[in-house]
Each structure stands twice: as structure tokens, then as C-alpha cells.
Amino acid sequence: IAGITQAPTSQILAAGRRMTLRCTQDMRHNAMYWYRQDLGLGLRLIHYSNTAGTTGKGEVPDGYSVSRANTDDFPLTLASAVPSQTSVYFCASRELGQGNYGYTFGSGTRLTVV
Amino acid sequence: AQSVTQLDSQVPVFEEAPVELRCNYSSSVSVYLFWYVQYPNQGLQLLLKYLSGSTLVKGINGFEAEFNKSQTSFHLRKPSVHISDTAEYFCAVSDSAGGYQKVTFGTGTKLQVIP
């Protein structure tokens, strides 16, 4: 593979359940991001990580958590899903300190919370 | 704080006609500007970027954009569109403040190419 792999591609989840969205990159980028995309709102940053072992909050972090145990993986966890978390989730990465190149995005996870 | 405004949510255009997708930004510091394209059921792909230098930037698939600092704009253009250009286009701004390097996306413009 080359790029970012997200899993699952889609999921229907009962409210109150716990869910982890997986994201793996093979480009050795130091920075990784989770965005949610909602109609009319564009992309909003949930959490980010500038390097392995560090994470930070984005615009809409409530109800989500992340970890960055190594360079390649950046899972996003919904501890107790609610219907407002129905969205398309995109993982992205880029190499900081290299002329501010743009992101590489995964293909997304479509999550429906019922 | 930085922000991005994409003035048109949808732009219909006939095949082989020219198109301009508008983007205006605000930022208190030096900026980097990007256009991304999203095809149905796919992630975003980088179309082009402005980092510094020439204000006219050429990207993939025949697209180009012009950075206009006085008008705080970064409009995307293509002289002749194809059916395959039907997609959603996102403008984004990244400031050069260190550490987090916040990126803000616009709400997107859906380009519909009509045969």
C-alpha cells in the first residue's frame, strides 16, 4: 500500500456503543489528523498529532479520543457514540517542516450512529 | 484567527466551458493556500498549492489558481472543463505559525459539468 488506509469503510453503530476507527499510513509522515466532514460545514479538525507520543485537540474534540503510540497508526475512539457523531471521518497526514506540503487523505469512514 | 470563504456552494457549467471557483481568506499572518478535489466516495486530493513566489500556480488536471494578496483571494480556474472534473472542491489556508500549523478548510464548492 502507499498512502493512508482507513478501516472500516462504513459502519452502522448503536448509540452508546464504543467504536475505534483505524488509520495507518506508510509514508513515515510525522503529523497525522482526524477530520469529520458534514454537509455544509466542510471539514472540521477533531484531533491531531505532530509526532509519535503527542496529541492535541482540534476544533471539535468532545466525545473523541486519540492515541499515537507509533509513527504509522493514529486510531480515533468514540467512547460512547451519539447520533450527532454521524459523519464521514477522514484521516490525513503530512510531513511538517518540509515546506508545508499539503495533506495526504485516506478514503474515509462513513459512520452512522442510530 | 484564519478563515476561508467559498462563495459558491454549487457551480454548474457546460462541458468545454471555462470555470472559476472562488475562494477568499483571512489571516493575520503569512499564509499558505491550497485547493483540494474530492471525487464521490473518496478522500481529498491535493490539486495545487501556493507557498511563495509566483502568484499564478499551476496544478494537476489543467487547473490553476492565482494568489491575490490585496483582495485576499485564491480563485481556482480551468479554461475548458471535462465531465471528469465533476467533483467537490475545497479551498484551504494554513498559517505559518509554528507548532500546530492550523489548517482551515472552506465549506466546499460542488462543480457539476453538464454534457
Side-chain angles (χ1 to χ4, degrees):
Chain A
I1 58 171
I4 293 180
T5 301
Q6 290 186 237
T9 54
S10 65
Q11 181 75 46
I12 298 174
L13 185 68
R17 298 295 296 269
R18 180 184 180 90
M19 173 79 187
T20 295
L21 309 185
R22 299 185 298 278
C23 173
T24 300
Q25 56 120 344
D26 65 355
M27 299 167 287
R28 308 300 291 175
H29 286 171
N30 48 19
M32 297 187 74
Y33 309 82
W34 274 105
Y35 283 89
R36 58 178 290 173
Q37 183 179 29
D38 302 289
L39 192 64
L41 298 177
L43 282 84
R44 293 180 292 168
L45 182 66
I46 305 171
H47 285 286
Y48 67 95
S49 169
N50 283 341
T51 189
T54 69
T55 62
K57 294 181 179 181
E59 303 170 65
V60 288
D62 294 343
Y64 305 95
S65 63
V66 292
S67 61
R68 187 87 182 277
N70 56 61
T71 297
D72 299 340
D73 301 300
F74 191 44
L76 176 73
T77 297
L78 288 67
S80 179
V82 296
S84 62
Q85 292 178 311
T86 293
S87 186
V88 182
Y89 291 86
F90 287 100
C91 180
S93 71
R94 64 176 176 170
E95 186 66 16
L96 293 179
Q98 296 290 332
N100 203 349
Y101 296 135
Y103 290 128
T104 298
F105 281 87
S107 298
T109 294
R110 186 174 296 274
L111 181 66
T112 303
V113 182
V114 297
Chain B
Q2 60 189 22
S3 66
V4 177
T5 301
Q6 290 185 244
L7 298 166
D8 306 298
S9 59
Q10 295 190 50
V11 173
V13 62
F14 286 103
E15 192 174 15
E16 298 184 4
V19 68
E20 178 179 83
L21 306 183
R22 297 180 293 169
C23 172
N24 288 90
Y25 70 92
S26 68
S27 176
S28 58
V29 297
S30 299
V31 296
Y32 303 139
L33 294 157
F34 304 84
W35 276 99
Y36 289 85
V37 59
Q38 184 180 30
Y39 298 103
N41 299 312
Q42 294 186 27
L44 280 71
Q45 302 173 32
L46 182 64
L47 201 55
L48 50 78
K49 60 182 180 284
Y50 171 78
L51 304 181
S52 65
S54 174
T55 57
L56 183 63
V57 180
K58 293 188 183 299
I60 60 172
N61 301 337
F63 283 93
E64 63 181 31
E66 186 159 17
F67 170 58
N68 188 320
K69 188 174 183 178
S70 63
Q71 297 187 8
T72 60
S73 68
F74 191 55
H75 300 332
L76 181 70
R77 302 186 185 100
K78 187 170 183 178
S80 175
V81 295
H82 302 287
I83 293 291
S84 59
D85 293 323
T86 295
E88 189 159 18
Y89 293 79
F90 291 89
C91 183
V93 59
S94 172
D95 68 38
S96 57
Y100 174 13
Q101 289 190 323
K102 178 180 172 64
V103 177
T104 300
F105 286 86
T107 53
T109 297
K110 290 186 178 179
L111 175 62
Q112 182 184 7
V113 180
I114 304 165

